[in-house]
Amino acid sequence: MSTATQTPPMVQLVHFDESFDREALESFLAAHGLVQRGFDYHTVAVIGCQSSGKSTLLNMLFETRFPTMHSEQGRYQVTQGVWLGVARAGVPPTDSPTLVLDLEGTDSRERGEEAGRFERKTALLALALAEVLVVNMWTQDIGRYNAANLALLRTVLEQDLALFHKYDKKTKLLFVFRDHVSTPLERLTDIVEQDMRQIWDCLGKPEAMDNKQLHDLFDIEYVSLPHKELDADGFAAQVNRLRARFEEAPLRRQMFRAEYARGIAADGFARYCEQVWQVIRENRELDIPTQKEALSRVRCEEIAREAEALFDAEADDVAAAYARVMDEYGARSSRYLPAIAAARREQLHRTLSAQARDVFGRRLAQATDRLIEDAAKMAEEWVTRMWETTEKEQEAEWDTVEERLAKAGATLRARQQTAAALPLPFADDAPWQVLAADEAERFQRALQRAEAAAREQWIRIAREAARAQFERQAKAALEREWNRSEVEASARQFWERLQERVLDAARQASSATLQRCLTPLDLMAATLPTSMSTQLTAHREDTAAAMLSLLQSYCTPPSVLLMHLQRRFEEAFRYESPGQVPRVWRPGVDIRAVFTAAKDIAERFLAALQCAVIDGTEHALLSERDRKALREQLQQRMSAAYLDAVRMQDAARMRARVPPWLLVLLVLLGWNEMMMVLQRPLLLLLMLLVVPIVVIGYRLRLLHPMLESGKALALRGATITARVLHEIGAPGEWPTQPVANGAGASHPSASLSKPHGE
């Protein structure tokens, strides 16, 4: 029978008649492995009206199995008293467990007039134990008094103030509004906040708490849930969000803050609950310090007895056993009051000192056993150091193996004599020197076994080194083959290439290394635990497993594999084959054909990765579900690339398309200008030079830099011209030049005797 079937899913702390079952609680905590947790656990409790879905909510949040109501049977009391379960909702086993308290619903018909009194008791118990108190409320009851449990909330605030006002402790109140439909959550929150503040203001507070506000003692949060039946999907989604706050590490730390912890060790949780409930049931004032002092006395006595029992069973070495017992006692008793723990520690020391004298012989034998283990460890360390040397040095090291082992044996014999000395905790006791010589021969035989163990260790290290070499070479080769542009026509060809170029090549080199490392053992030892061929066969299996692990690393997480798939698609779609020149989507390019070819490459690569073929054996890399999801995501990205290409081609087509009527209009309107340009060769030549430059500058977006450069050149030319004119002389002193007669000269005697303007 499995452990899960033997472990009870929940336990009833408080029964309907208000009796408390401590034995059942202790068995439950032990069955779930919570007793050794110390302070490393959390507690959550829920309160609310009867049949309001408290147990259902807890089951969905924490995967507990509290009984729930069957709607076809009408409303009735399901949870009676107080029940405790352990959350298993996705929390890793190494994380802090969560204890979940399911309290009997308020306003129950079964309790009748006694309901209020019992509700106050269970609320007080929940406050004493729970870090997070979940208040389950119907949305339609907000704004009412009895239905909204305002009397119970008053009890919660009042008792929390009485219990924790002297300590730096807070409580988280998590209000869960059920069947939330239309009213804004902010409005509901304001109503509850107003009710809570009114209750807080009416409470009688100690003098030190006069200036304290409600949020100084409580962290209050509000969550709403849709109707479970009418909006099942919305309800499940909201519950999953709330559930993540109890599971995911960052959110979980915010939910269970250190200031909420009640400071009750897990091994004393059951007894503490019983004491607290007894005080509550008898209507006495609950005093947390007094309860902790009583718990400390009882638990320190129990811990001391348990630690004392461990001393007889774990006496490998008296001093070590003593230290272990005292450490065990100290670690567990440190959770309780120091003065009580120290007094019981002295008594425990006297008891252990008397018992240790009777087990000295066994203690010394166990000390010898530890030295034998040290011999094996020293041989292992020696082999490891030898492996780190060069190949030639390794051969010289193995030639001196007997000498080195003898030296190690002498060291260990000296340590054995030291171990036989009186342990310091009991140095004043006389009869501690009896059996030291009896273990010498057994220890000598153990040294011979350590030598054989050294050979075994060398084989293991050699295999690990050969596998590490394989992984390095295979990883580099796999990286090259994985990223190559060419794609095989079939999955079989793809895996044949990886088998030949990656697995076989790296395996051959690493097998040669392994064989070279194991050869000294063949020369040194007459027989080995396993033959060379067996080791090489095992290495072949190791490399196959390592190859599969490398392939799985390339396929997980899915986002990384998606990047590889997209890269292969884009290399085929966005680039020309020769030289990887980017494609230009001109109007005549068949985008659909290019897209289909590139898509086929990516999908063939994805199909090849579904099942790896290593040494002729198939291994699943991707599930059908993962492959389908990757294909859908890849399809989305490929579609986006296709649409971009189509847009670019349309834009190029628009730029290249010139309407015929525009050419006709250009000829008609620009005829005179065209004739003027054709009749003037210099102007035509200038336009043939300038127009291409302007067009090229516009296409390359260089017009602005060209204009700026032209301005700079013009300014430079003007400056040089002005300087030259200044060197020639003032305008009035310029020499005159006769103007030659020409067709356009109306006055032959005209001359440039003066500058223009004089």
Side-chain angles (χ1 to χ4, degrees):
M1 184 178 293
S2 64
T3 304
T5 58
Q6 295 176 352
T7 304
M10 56 191 171
V11 65
Q12 189 172 15
L13 275 65
V14 180
H15 294 268
F16 187 83
D17 59 354
E18 300 186 5
S19 61
F20 190 93
D21 194 350
R22 179 167 65 89
E23 294 181 358
L25 178 56
E26 289 177 342
S27 300
F28 176 83
L29 296 177
H32 286 272
L34 299 173
V35 178
Q36 296 81 16
R37 281 289 186 171
F39 300 107
D40 188 24
Y41 70 97
H42 302 294
T43 50
V44 178
V46 62
I47 61 174
C49 295
Q50 176 181 303
S51 304
S52 61
K54 303 187 301 303
S55 301
T56 300
L57 178 62
L58 293 180
N59 291 342
M60 296 183 69
L61 289 177
F62 303 105
E63 289 188 2
T64 52
R65 286 187 278 175
F66 295 116
T68 58
M69 184 186 69
H70 298 285
S71 58
E72 64 271 15
Q73 298 181 11
R75 294 188 177 275
Y76 60 97
Q77 188 180 52
V78 179
T79 303
Q80 293 185 346
V82 180
W83 289 77
L84 176 72
V86 178
R88 294 183 294 275
V91 179
T94 57
D95 205 347
S96 303
T98 303
L99 300 180
V100 184
L101 292 168
D102 189 10
L103 276 62
E104 179 178 314
T106 62
D107 195 23
S108 65
R109 173 173 56 85
E110 288 77 0
R111 288 281 177 186
E113 296 180 357
E114 294 294 324
R117 184 178 61 84
F118 186 78
E119 292 163 7
R120 176 187 176 279
K121 294 179 180 180
T122 55
L124 186 54
L125 178 64
L127 278 175
L129 301 178
E131 303 168 49
V132 179
L133 186 61
V134 180
V135 182
N136 195 65
M137 301 177 63
W138 295 111
T139 303
Q140 61 268 25
D141 292 337
I142 297 177
R144 302 175 182 174
Y145 186 84
N146 292 327
N149 284 321
L150 294 186
L152 183 59
L153 289 177
R154 178 185 180 90
T155 300
V156 169
L157 300 186
E158 187 177 36
Q159 296 302 326
D160 191 277
L161 182 63
L163 290 176
F164 302 116
H165 76 276
K166 296 180 181 179
Y167 312 100
D168 189 17
K169 296 292 183 183
K170 297 182 72 174
T171 302
K172 177 183 282 294
L173 289 181
L174 180 61
F175 283 88
V176 179
F177 301 147
R178 305 293 295 270
D179 294 355
H180 181 211
V181 179
S182 59
T183 306
L185 179 60
E186 292 78 7
R187 178 55 185 159
L188 300 175
T189 300
D190 291 340
I191 295 174
V192 176
E193 281 277 350
Q194 182 179 0
D195 293 338
M196 296 286 287
R197 284 195 296 269
Q198 289 178 357
I199 294 173
W200 177 260
D201 293 337
C202 296
L203 294 179
K205 307 179 186 65
E207 183 176 354
M209 299 293 294
D210 285 340
N211 296 326
K212 295 290 185 180
Q213 301 299 321
L214 175 64
H215 290 278
D216 292 333
L217 268 71
F218 294 89
D219 286 340
I220 304 177
E221 294 185 15
Y222 303 89
V223 177
S224 66
L225 301 178
H227 198 285
K228 184 176 182 298
E229 302 294 335
L230 301 181
D231 188 8
D233 293 339
F235 180 86
Q238 287 296 103
V239 170
N240 287 335
R241 293 190 185 97
L242 182 57
R243 174 177 174 173
R245 298 181 60 188
F246 288 96
E247 294 180 8
E248 300 177 3
L251 301 177
R252 182 176 171 85
R253 286 193 295 269
Q254 291 297 321
M255 183 64 70
F256 297 109
R257 295 167 59 182
E259 55 193 322
Y260 302 156
R262 296 307 189 229
I264 306 301
D267 57 349
F269 183 84
R271 188 175 295 275
Y272 179 79
C273 292
E274 182 184 36
Q275 293 176 353
V276 169
W277 179 251
Q278 189 65 26
V279 173
I280 295 173
R281 186 180 181 185
E282 295 173 1
N283 291 322
R284 289 185 286 143
E285 183 178 357
L286 183 60
D287 187 0
I288 297 297
T290 301
Q291 298 304 319
K292 287 189 176 182
E293 180 178 353
L295 177 64
S296 297
R297 293 185 183 278
V298 174
R299 285 300 299 148
C300 286
E301 183 65 27
E302 293 177 350
I303 293 171
R305 288 198 300 268
E306 294 173 1
E308 180 182 339
L310 294 176
F311 181 76
D312 290 335
E314 301 179 4
D316 297 336
D317 177 80
V318 173
Y322 174 85
R324 281 195 299 271
V325 171
M326 285 302 183
D327 290 343
E328 175 73 13
Y329 174 81
R332 297 175 61 186
S333 63
S334 62
R335 304 161 187 163
Y336 301 98
L337 297 182
I340 298 174
R344 189 61 183 86
R345 182 187 181 91
E346 291 296 326
Q347 183 179 354
L348 177 62
H349 170 77
R350 293 190 295 269
T351 303
L352 295 182
S353 179
Q355 294 180 4
R357 292 191 298 269
D358 299 331
V359 293
F360 178 70
R362 182 165 59 90
R363 175 184 61 97
L364 185 57
Q366 291 171 346
T368 303
D369 291 339
R370 284 201 308 277
L371 289 173
I372 293 173
E373 293 176 1
D374 291 343
K377 183 177 180 182
M378 291 180 65
E380 177 181 349
E381 292 176 352
W382 169 68
V383 170
T384 304
R385 287 196 303 270
M386 191 190 68
W387 174 260
E388 295 173 353
T389 60
T390 63
E391 182 177 352
K392 293 183 178 180
E393 292 174 342
Q394 288 173 12
E395 297 176 358
E397 293 284 348
W398 275 104
D399 292 338
T400 60
V401 62
E402 297 295 339
E403 178 183 349
R404 289 178 174 272
L405 289 179
K407 183 178 179 180
T411 302
L412 291 172
R413 280 193 294 272
R415 289 178 56 190
Q416 197 252 0
Q417 295 175 1
T418 302
L422 293 177
L424 292 178
F426 313 114
D428 296 335
D429 297 338
W432 288 88
Q433 300 178 354
V434 180
L435 302 174
D438 296 341
E439 299 294 325
E441 184 179 358
R442 184 167 68 94
F443 180 71
Q444 188 64 31
R445 292 194 300 267
L447 288 179
Q448 298 175 356
R449 292 194 298 270
E451 181 180 344
R455 297 189 181 95
E456 297 258 2
Q457 178 66 10
W458 173 256
I459 294 175
R460 185 183 65 83
I461 293 179
R463 283 184 55 181
E464 292 177 355
R467 173 167 177 157
Q469 176 186 354
F470 169 84
E471 289 179 349
R472 290 193 301 270
Q473 295 181 358
K475 185 175 182 181
L478 184 59
E479 183 73 24
R480 293 191 303 269
E481 298 301 323
W482 191 271
N483 294 323
R484 69 196 300 266
S485 301
E486 297 81 0
V487 179
E488 288 76 1
S490 66
R492 182 180 62 82
Q493 296 177 352
F494 174 79
W495 291 113
E496 287 178 352
R497 173 171 59 86
L498 293 186
Q499 175 79 30
E500 177 184 359
R501 299 186 182 182
V502 180
L503 178 59
D504 292 344
R507 176 183 284 166
Q508 182 178 2
S510 60
S511 297
T513 300
L514 177 61
Q515 188 171 3
R516 187 170 61 253
C517 294
L518 296 183
T519 299
L521 289 183
D522 289 336
L523 297 176
M524 174 181 166
T527 58
L528 286 176
T530 54
S531 63
M532 179 72 73
S533 60
T534 304
Q535 294 298 330
L536 293 176
T537 301
H539 176 65
R540 182 177 182 86
E541 296 174 356
D542 292 343
T543 54
M547 182 68 177
L548 180 60
S549 178
L550 286 174
L551 290 170
Q552 290 173 343
S553 67
Y554 276 86
C555 295
T556 54
S559 58
V560 175
L561 181 56
L562 182 61
M563 292 173 57
H564 286 291
L565 294 170
Q566 185 177 1
R567 178 183 60 78
R568 286 184 175 267
F569 167 78
E570 290 183 350
E571 285 179 355
F573 183 70
R574 298 184 183 275
Y575 297 93
E576 300 285 352
S577 296
Q580 294 296 307
V581 178
R583 293 184 187 273
V584 179
W585 302 111
R586 297 184 179 89
V589 177
D590 189 356
I591 298 178
R592 182 178 296 276
V594 176
F595 173 79
T596 302
K599 177 182 177 183
D600 181 66
I601 291 174
E603 290 185 346
R604 286 206 310 271
F605 185 64
L606 177 59
L609 297 180
Q610 186 171 3
C611 190
V613 181
I614 300 175
D615 292 336
T617 304
E618 295 186 352
H619 305 272
L621 288 179
L622 294 174
S623 64
E624 184 64 27
R625 178 180 179 182
D626 292 339
R627 192 177 71 86
K628 183 178 180 181
L630 283 170
R631 191 175 186 280
E632 292 176 355
Q633 298 179 37
L634 179 63
Q635 181 66 38
Q636 294 176 358
R637 299 192 180 189
M638 292 190 300
S639 300
Y642 176 82
L643 293 178
D644 289 342
V646 171
R647 295 191 191 99
M648 294 173 63
Q649 189 181 56
D650 292 341
R653 186 180 292 111
M654 293 300 296
R655 288 194 300 269
R657 184 186 304 167
V658 179
W661 60 267
L662 184 60
L663 297 176
V664 175
L665 183 63
L666 181 63
V667 171
L668 293 177
L669 296 180
W671 178 260
N672 294 332
E673 288 77 8
M674 291 172 58
M675 296 303 299
M676 180 185 69
V677 171
L678 294 175
Q679 291 175 358
R680 291 168 174 77
L682 293 178
L683 182 59
L684 177 61
L685 179 62
L686 180 63
M687 291 187 64
L688 293 176
L689 294 175
V690 172
V691 170
I693 294 174
V694 172
V695 172
I696 293 174
Y698 174 78
R699 289 293 180 90
L700 299 179
R701 299 182 179 179
L702 296 176
L703 283 182
H704 182 71
M706 293 171 61
L707 291 175
E708 294 297 328
S709 300
K711 290 180 181 179
L713 291 174
L715 181 60
R716 180 65 177 172
T719 302
I720 295 174
T721 302
R723 185 170 65 251
V724 171
L725 293 177
H726 179 72
E727 291 175 356
I728 294 174
E733 299 175 357
W734 292 351
T736 60
Q737 297 291 338
V739 178
N741 293 335
S746 59
H747 300 285
S749 60
S751 65
L752 296 174
S753 60
K754 293 184 179 180
H756 180 71
E758 291 191 5

